[in-house]
mmCIF file of all heavy atoms in Angstrom:
data_model
loop_
_atom_site.group_PDB
_atom_site.id
_atom_site.type_symbol
_atom_site.label_atom_id
_atom_site.label_comp_id
_atom_site.label_asym_id
_atom_site.label_seq_id
_atom_site.Cartn_x
_atom_site.Cartn_y
_atom_site.Cartn_z
ATOM 1 N N GLN A 168 14.124 30.066 153.374
ATOM 2 C CA GLN A 168 14.201 29.032 154.403
ATOM 3 C C GLN A 168 14.322 27.665 153.760
ATOM 4 O O GLN A 168 13.679 27.373 152.755
ATOM 5 C CB GLN A 168 12.974 29.071 155.311
ATOM 6 C CG GLN A 168 13.062 28.108 156.495
ATOM 7 C CD GLN A 168 11.932 28.308 157.489
ATOM 8 O OE1 GLN A 168 10.879 28.833 157.144
ATOM 9 N NE2 GLN A 168 12.140 27.893 158.727
ATOM 10 N N PHE A 169 15.157 26.804 154.346
ATOM 11 C CA PHE A 169 15.363 25.459 153.850
ATOM 12 C C PHE A 169 14.615 24.459 154.735
ATOM 13 O O PHE A 169 14.188 24.789 155.847
ATOM 14 C CB PHE A 169 16.857 25.138 153.807
ATOM 15 C CG PHE A 169 17.645 26.118 152.971
ATOM 16 C CD1 PHE A 169 18.302 27.186 153.561
ATOM 17 C CD2 PHE A 169 17.691 26.006 151.589
ATOM 18 C CE1 PHE A 169 19.011 28.101 152.806
ATOM 19 C CE2 PHE A 169 18.386 26.913 150.812
ATOM 20 C CZ PHE A 169 19.051 27.975 151.427
ATOM 21 N N ASP A 170 14.477 23.236 154.253
ATOM 22 C CA ASP A 170 13.657 22.240 154.931
ATOM 23 C C ASP A 170 14.140 21.910 156.337
ATOM 24 O O ASP A 170 13.355 21.521 157.188
ATOM 25 C CB ASP A 170 13.604 20.942 154.106
ATOM 26 C CG ASP A 170 12.813 21.124 152.822
ATOM 27 O OD1 ASP A 170 12.014 22.070 152.765
ATOM 28 O OD2 ASP A 170 12.995 20.322 151.893
ATOM 29 N N ASP A 171 15.429 22.000 156.600
ATOM 30 C CA ASP A 171 15.966 21.594 157.898
ATOM 31 C C ASP A 171 16.048 22.756 158.883
ATOM 32 O O ASP A 171 16.928 22.816 159.733
ATOM 33 C CB ASP A 171 17.346 20.946 157.729
ATOM 34 C CG ASP A 171 18.321 21.865 156.993
ATOM 35 O OD1 ASP A 171 17.887 22.931 156.544
ATOM 36 O OD2 ASP A 171 19.504 21.510 156.881
ATOM 37 N N ASP A 172 15.105 23.718 158.786
ATOM 38 C CA ASP A 172 15.033 24.863 159.698
ATOM 39 C C ASP A 172 16.277 25.729 159.613
ATOM 40 O O ASP A 172 16.776 26.238 160.616
ATOM 41 C CB ASP A 172 14.807 24.386 161.147
ATOM 42 C CG ASP A 172 14.432 25.536 162.080
ATOM 43 O OD1 ASP A 172 13.735 26.467 161.629
ATOM 44 O OD2 ASP A 172 14.868 25.521 163.245
ATOM 45 N N TYR A 173 16.797 25.878 158.412
ATOM 46 C CA TYR A 173 17.939 26.748 158.157
ATOM 47 C C TYR A 173 17.472 27.865 157.246
ATOM 48 O O TYR A 173 16.603 27.664 156.396
ATOM 49 C CB TYR A 173 19.056 25.943 157.492
ATOM 50 C CG TYR A 173 20.413 26.168 158.100
ATOM 51 C CD1 TYR A 173 20.711 25.694 159.369
ATOM 52 C CD2 TYR A 173 21.395 26.863 157.412
ATOM 53 C CE1 TYR A 173 21.967 25.890 159.928
ATOM 54 C CE2 TYR A 173 22.653 27.065 157.958
ATOM 55 C CZ TYR A 173 22.928 26.580 159.223
ATOM 56 O OH TYR A 173 24.161 26.781 159.782
ATOM 57 N N ALA A 174 18.033 29.045 157.407
ATOM 58 C CA ALA A 174 17.595 30.188 156.605
ATOM 59 C C ALA A 174 18.784 30.979 156.094
ATOM 60 O O ALA A 174 19.859 30.993 156.706
ATOM 61 C CB ALA A 174 16.672 31.094 157.420
ATOM 62 N N LEU A 175 18.568 31.639 154.967
ATOM 63 C CA LEU A 175 19.546 32.551 154.370
ATOM 64 C C LEU A 175 18.853 33.905 154.231
ATOM 65 O O LEU A 175 17.777 33.986 153.649
ATOM 66 C CB LEU A 175 19.996 32.027 153.009
ATOM 67 C CG LEU A 175 21.100 32.800 152.289
ATOM 68 C CD1 LEU A 175 22.432 32.585 153.003
ATOM 69 C CD2 LEU A 175 21.218 32.327 150.837
ATOM 70 N N VAL A 176 19.467 34.956 154.771
ATOM 71 C CA VAL A 176 18.809 36.254 154.855
ATOM 72 C C VAL A 176 19.728 37.364 154.367
ATOM 73 O O VAL A 176 20.936 37.332 154.627
ATOM 74 C CB VAL A 176 18.393 36.532 156.317
ATOM 75 C CG1 VAL A 176 17.950 37.976 156.494
ATOM 76 C CG2 VAL A 176 17.278 35.597 156.733
ATOM 77 N N LYS A 177 19.148 38.350 153.671
ATOM 78 C CA LYS A 177 19.845 39.578 153.317
ATOM 79 C C LYS A 177 19.285 40.689 154.194
ATOM 80 O O LYS A 177 18.063 40.870 154.282
ATOM 81 C CB LYS A 177 19.649 39.913 151.841
ATOM 82 C CG LYS A 177 20.385 41.183 151.413
ATOM 83 C CD LYS A 177 20.347 41.354 149.901
ATOM 84 C CE LYS A 177 19.001 41.809 149.411
ATOM 85 N NZ LYS A 177 19.012 42.185 147.972
ATOM 86 N N THR A 178 20.163 41.430 154.878
ATOM 87 C CA THR A 178 19.717 42.446 155.812
ATOM 88 C C THR A 178 20.770 43.540 155.958
ATOM 89 O O THR A 178 21.937 43.333 155.605
ATOM 90 C CB THR A 178 19.422 41.818 157.194
ATOM 91 O OG1 THR A 178 18.867 42.796 158.073
ATOM 92 C CG2 THR A 178 20.675 41.239 157.819
ATOM 93 N N ALA A 179 20.347 44.696 156.476
ATOM 94 C CA ALA A 179 21.314 45.751 156.801
ATOM 95 C C ALA A 179 22.125 45.299 158.016
ATOM 96 O O ALA A 179 21.604 44.674 158.930
ATOM 97 C CB ALA A 179 20.580 47.048 157.096
ATOM 98 N N ALA A 180 23.405 45.624 158.016
ATOM 99 C CA ALA A 180 24.293 45.181 159.090
ATOM 100 C C ALA A 180 23.908 45.838 160.416
ATOM 101 O O ALA A 180 23.822 47.070 160.494
ATOM 102 C CB ALA A 180 25.734 45.505 158.743
ATOM 103 N N PRO A 181 23.678 45.055 161.475
ATOM 104 C CA PRO A 181 23.406 45.643 162.794
ATOM 105 C C PRO A 181 24.692 46.197 163.410
ATOM 106 O O PRO A 181 25.808 45.836 163.017
ATOM 107 C CB PRO A 181 22.864 44.461 163.599
ATOM 108 C CG PRO A 181 23.456 43.262 162.946
ATOM 109 C CD PRO A 181 23.578 43.593 161.488
ATOM 110 N N GLY A 182 24.520 47.049 164.410
ATOM 111 C CA GLY A 182 25.670 47.717 165.004
ATOM 112 C C GLY A 182 26.671 46.786 165.654
ATOM 113 O O GLY A 182 27.866 47.111 165.734
ATOM 114 N N VAL A 183 26.241 45.604 166.099
ATOM 115 C CA VAL A 183 27.140 44.700 166.823
ATOM 116 C C VAL A 183 28.258 44.137 165.947
ATOM 117 O O VAL A 183 29.227 43.576 166.464
ATOM 118 C CB VAL A 183 26.356 43.539 167.470
ATOM 119 C CG1 VAL A 183 25.419 44.058 168.550
ATOM 120 C CG2 VAL A 183 25.594 42.743 166.409
ATOM 121 N N VAL A 184 28.130 44.262 164.627
ATOM 122 C CA VAL A 184 29.167 43.707 163.751
ATOM 123 C C VAL A 184 29.923 44.795 162.995
ATOM 124 O O VAL A 184 30.806 44.477 162.193
ATOM 125 C CB VAL A 184 28.577 42.696 162.738
ATOM 126 C CG1 VAL A 184 27.969 41.512 163.450
ATOM 127 C CG2 VAL A 184 27.555 43.357 161.821
ATOM 128 N N THR A 185 29.596 46.062 163.212
ATOM 129 C CA THR A 185 30.242 47.123 162.433
ATOM 130 C C THR A 185 31.491 47.657 163.133
ATOM 131 O O THR A 185 31.610 47.632 164.365
ATOM 132 C CB THR A 185 29.269 48.300 162.203
ATOM 133 O OG1 THR A 185 28.858 48.829 163.458
ATOM 134 C CG2 THR A 185 28.038 47.838 161.432
ATOM 135 N N GLY A 186 32.443 48.093 162.293
ATOM 136 C CA GLY A 186 33.644 48.744 162.803
ATOM 137 C C GLY A 186 34.732 47.819 163.282
ATOM 138 O O GLY A 186 35.720 48.283 163.874
ATOM 139 N N MET A 187 34.598 46.528 163.027
ATOM 140 C CA MET A 187 35.624 45.577 163.448
ATOM 141 C C MET A 187 35.597 44.370 162.514
ATOM 142 O O MET A 187 34.593 44.103 161.850
ATOM 143 C CB MET A 187 35.366 45.110 164.889
ATOM 144 C CG MET A 187 34.144 44.221 165.054
ATOM 145 S SD MET A 187 33.778 43.812 166.771
ATOM 146 C CE MET A 187 32.945 45.326 167.255
ATOM 147 N N PRO A 188 36.720 43.608 162.430
ATOM 148 C CA PRO A 188 36.716 42.393 161.617
ATOM 149 C C PRO A 188 35.683 41.401 162.150
ATOM 150 O O PRO A 188 35.446 41.324 163.368
ATOM 151 C CB PRO A 188 38.143 41.854 161.772
ATOM 152 C CG PRO A 188 38.956 43.039 162.183
ATOM 153 C CD PRO A 188 38.049 43.889 163.008
ATOM 154 N N LEU A 189 35.080 40.649 161.262
ATOM 155 C CA LEU A 189 34.057 39.693 161.669
ATOM 156 C C LEU A 189 34.604 38.678 162.671
ATOM 157 O O LEU A 189 33.888 38.231 163.566
ATOM 158 C CB LEU A 189 33.501 38.973 160.438
ATOM 159 C CG LEU A 189 32.545 39.787 159.563
ATOM 160 C CD1 LEU A 189 32.236 39.038 158.271
ATOM 161 C CD2 LEU A 189 31.251 40.088 160.323
ATOM 162 N N GLY A 190 35.870 38.308 162.517
ATOM 163 C CA GLY A 190 36.467 37.364 163.453
ATOM 164 C C GLY A 190 36.472 37.878 164.877
ATOM 165 O O GLY A 190 36.314 37.110 165.835
#
Side-chain angles (χ1 to χ4, degrees):
Q168 186 172 23
F169 303 97
D170 291 339
D171 56 355
D172 192 35
Y173 227 70
L175 185 71
V176 169
K177 181 171 75 171
T178 185
V183 295
V184 298
T185 60
M187 70 185 80
L189 285 171

